[in-house]
Amino acid sequence: MKIYPVILSGGAGTRLWPLSRAVLPKQLLPLVADRTMLQETALRVAGWPGVMAPLVVCGNDHRFMVAEQLREIGITPLGILLEPVGRNTAPAVAAAAHYLKAIDPEALMLVLPADHVIEDGAAFRDAVERAVTLVGQGALATFGIVPKTPETGYGYIRRGEAVSNCGDCYKVARFVEKPDAATAQSFLDEGGYYWNSGMFMFHAERFLQELQEHAPAIADAAGKAVSTGYRDLDFCRLEEKAFSDSPSDSIDYAVMEKTRDAAVVPADIGWNDVGSWSALWEVQPKDADGNARRGDVYLDGVTNSLVRAESRIVAVVGVDNLVVVETQDAVLVTHKDQVQRVKQVVDHLKSKARTEHLHHTRVYRPWGHYEGIDAGDRFQVKRITVKPGEKLSLQMHHHRAEHWVVVSGTARVTCGEKVCLLSENESTYIPIGVTHRLENPGKLPLDLIEVQSGSYLGEDDIVRFEDIYQRA
């Protein structure tokens, strides 16, 4: 039996601001280990017998980062499905199910969010093997996390009667919304309740049958989005209108709470969905005073805190139970008990039309990245890094001119009809309205300083004539 991991890499992770941003969300960050959460998820099941290459579902803005992060760990995905808009987990999984069914009518899906921590890989594998037995009996399986504390931030699953021929597997009696503290404690006291992990296993065909019965609009929209989708480089673009027409709903609401064949596999696997800074503190190594630290951090008289420095020294003195997170353009300080309110900061930034919730000062592109250094009235300065063999689009700007100074590497510059090579300490000028392109023909990264000047310096002042990445 072939198992197809379906990795859901959507979402913005707003509760982990300022580290997680819209264009670089938490699943694409190395929050817990040296590798990103997406990479850890893909590697978690890689090499298991019968497990195929993963199918990843993500948003259009993250496609190149997803592909690059998988390439870095030596994994070639079965496919990368691009959602034109976010529609929650049910349409995303439905699209994956239609895609897999066309490849393998017997496809068995293992649905995994890209942003979860699982510390006990052997126990997780055992849980997956039990789920295979359940699915072989026609069930739609979910993984219920054995609760350690009366958490109010998770939904719960109440187990029903045991399933025969499957050790420690149960029918689902009911799903429970996130409880208050007293109710959560009663769940632990009573027993038979599990945290709802958001991980699932079922046959693609079986899931689509249940979806067609309980949420036909989602099933039809996802099917049409796949059948009328198209290839774009190494990606599969779901057809925009069809997918956008789908109702937005979760797998739980659309199928699992309605089907008669939901089953739960209890899993004691060291699971954490890293849904907040306090959750991240829980899974990170700590010093003798209970502090989790990362980066250039100085602590004196600090206990039970998370302190993270990204670009400069951060000194914290004489506090307890704080979260302090520094990035190049923002700093967060909050009590660990108040971390759920971080989302309100993001909402504030949106309401004020600011950009700190969208991207960092370093912005990643398929060809490399750029970083803002300075800006003022009618000018801004960037440092640009182009990966070996990559090139920017052939483009022009209506409102700005650009000066380029090569810091290291070799640049091939197209400026109008002229093409030239620039080496370290050499420079060139791109006038307003002139078609131009920057390339790195060498084997080392190309670093240069770009000085823009003009009446408007926004990133949307780009007219592309040719682009190897097929961006509009």
Side-chain angles (χ1 to χ4, degrees), residues 31-33 37 115-119 154 269-286 292 306:
L31 288 179
V32 179
M37 302 191 77
D115 55 359
H116 290 183
V117 170
I118 294 176
E119 296 177 340
Y154 301 140
I269 56 178
W271 174 90
N272 192 306
D273 72 345
V274 197
S276 67
W277 285 112
S278 58
L280 181 61
W281 172 83
E282 290 175 0
V283 299
Q284 287 196 311
K286 303 173 188 66
L306 183 151

Side-chain angles (χ1 to χ4, degrees), residues 175 210 213-215 249 251-262:
F175 288 85
E210 292 288 332
E213 177 179 349
H214 301 294
D249 210 349
I251 301 178
D252 289 322
Y253 287 144
V255 173
M256 298 302 291
E257 294 187 7
K258 298 173 181 176
T259 179
R260 295 178 296 275
D261 294 318

Side-chain angles (χ1 to χ4, degrees), residues 4-317:
Y4 295 84
V6 175
I7 300 177
L8 304 180
S9 187
T14 54
R15 288 181 177 83
L16 288 177
W17 184 88
L19 205 58
S20 179
R21 314 244 177 143
V23 299
L24 192 62
K26 67 173 183 175
Q27 63 268 24
L28 302 179
L29 293 168
L31 288 179
V32 179
D34 292 334
R35 289 186 287 254
T36 69
M37 302 191 77
L38 169 67
Q39 291 173 326
E40 291 288 335
T41 301
L43 289 171
R44 189 171 295 133
V45 296
W48 288 7
V51 172
M52 311 305 289
L55 176 65
V56 182
V57 185
C58 70
N60 180 68
D61 290 344
H62 304 149
R63 65 194 189 279
F64 291 112
M65 285 182 284
V66 166
E68 175 66 14
Q69 289 191 6
L70 293 175
R71 185 199 64 78
E72 287 176 353
I73 58 174
I75 290 180
T76 301
L78 178 69
I80 300 177
L81 301 186
L82 303 182
E83 296 178 286
V85 293
R87 283 293 181 265
N88 214 319
T89 55
V93 174
H98 280 290
Y99 186 90
L100 290 173
K101 182 184 171 185
I103 296 173
D104 181 358
E106 303 297 322
L108 180 58
M109 302 171 62
L110 175 60
V111 179
L112 303 171
D115 55 359
H116 290 183
V117 170
I118 294 176
E119 296 177 340
D120 191 337
F124 176 57
R125 181 168 174 174
D126 175 72
V128 170
E129 290 172 352
R130 282 183 283 140
V132 170
T133 302
L134 273 177
V135 172
Q137 300 178 27
L140 283 73
T142 184
F143 296 86
I145 305 302
V146 177
K148 305 295 185 183
T149 55
E151 288 291 336
T152 59
Y154 301 140
Y156 283 72
I157 301 169
R158 177 71 168 97
R159 80 186 189 196
E161 63 185 70
V163 177
S164 60
N165 302 317
C166 180
D168 199 25
C169 299
Y170 305 87
K171 292 184 177 180
V172 171
R174 64 188 177 105
F175 288 85
V176 184
E177 294 292 332
K178 297 175 182 178
D180 59 28
T183 304
Q185 184 61 58
S186 72
F187 290 166
L188 264 68
D189 294 340
E190 180 182 346
Y193 284 87
Y194 307 101
W195 293 337
N196 189 349
S197 71
M199 300 186 295
F200 306 91
M201 176 177 275
F202 32 65
H203 282 289
E205 173 66 25
R206 185 77 186 85
F207 173 74
L208 292 174
Q209 288 173 353
E210 292 288 332
L211 189 67
Q212 189 66 52
E213 177 179 349
H214 301 294
I218 295 177
D220 293 343
K224 185 175 181 181
V226 172
S227 64
T228 57
Y230 60 94
R231 301 294 301 181
D232 177 0
L233 300 177
D234 293 329
F235 309 103
C236 176
R237 288 190 178 275
L238 300 174
E239 201 279 321
E240 183 171 1
K241 184 180 184 307
F243 196 80
S244 300
D245 286 344
S246 172
S248 178
D249 210 349
S250 69
I251 301 178
D252 289 322
Y253 287 144
V255 173
M256 298 302 291
E257 294 187 7
K258 298 173 181 176
T259 179
R260 295 178 296 275
D261 294 318
V264 59
V265 179
D268 189 359
I269 56 178
W271 174 90
N272 192 306
D273 72 345
V274 197
S276 67
W277 285 112
S278 58
L280 181 61
W281 172 83
E282 290 175 0
V283 299
Q284 287 196 311
K286 303 173 188 66
D287 62 22
D289 295 316
N291 298 310
R293 67 175 86 188
R294 183 157 179 165
D296 193 359
V297 171
Y298 170 80
L299 304 181
D300 182 5
V302 178
T303 54
N304 303 313
S305 296
L306 183 151
V307 184
R308 184 166 182 138
E310 296 294 312
S311 64
R312 72 202 82 183
I313 185 172
V314 172
V316 183
V317 178

Side-chain angles (χ1 to χ4, degrees), residues 357-399:
H357 66 291
L358 295 174
H359 51 73
H360 292 270
T361 55
R362 173 176 288 190
V363 179
Y364 290 90
R365 291 289 187 258
W367 43 261
H369 61 263
Y370 67 83
E371 197 166 349
I373 298 175
D374 194 10
D377 185 30
R378 296 179 63 88
F379 84 92
Q380 65 179 350
V381 183
K382 295 180 178 180
R383 177 169 183 154
I384 296 176
T385 299
V386 184
K387 294 183 290 188
E390 302 295 336
K391 64 176 71 174
L392 283 67
S393 60
L394 184 67
Q395 59 185 251
M396 65 90 97
H397 310 294
H398 289 294
H399 304 288

Side-chain angles (χ1 to χ4, degrees), residues 328-348:
Q328 206 162 44
D329 61 345
V331 177
L332 170 72
V333 181
T334 178
H335 195 278
K336 286 221 312 283
D337 292 343
Q338 301 295 317
V339 292
Q340 295 298 335
R341 296 170 63 181
V342 171
K343 189 176 183 298
Q344 296 172 219
V345 179
V346 176
D347 292 339
H348 169 76

Side-chain angles (χ1 to χ4, degrees), residues 416-461:
E417 299 298 321
K418 180 183 177 183
V419 179
C420 66
L421 291 177
L422 299 180
S423 299
E424 184 174 325
N425 294 324
E426 295 183 325
S427 63
T428 191
Y429 169 65
I430 310 295
I432 293 176
V434 174
T435 301
H436 60 277
R437 167 175 262 163
L438 175 64
E439 305 176 52
N440 180 358
K443 296 183 178 180
L444 298 174
L446 164 65
D447 288 311
L448 60 84
I449 300 298
E450 176 182 84
V451 180
Q452 302 177 356
S453 59
S455 58
Y456 179 73
L457 305 174
E459 283 300 308
D460 54 349
D461 181 24

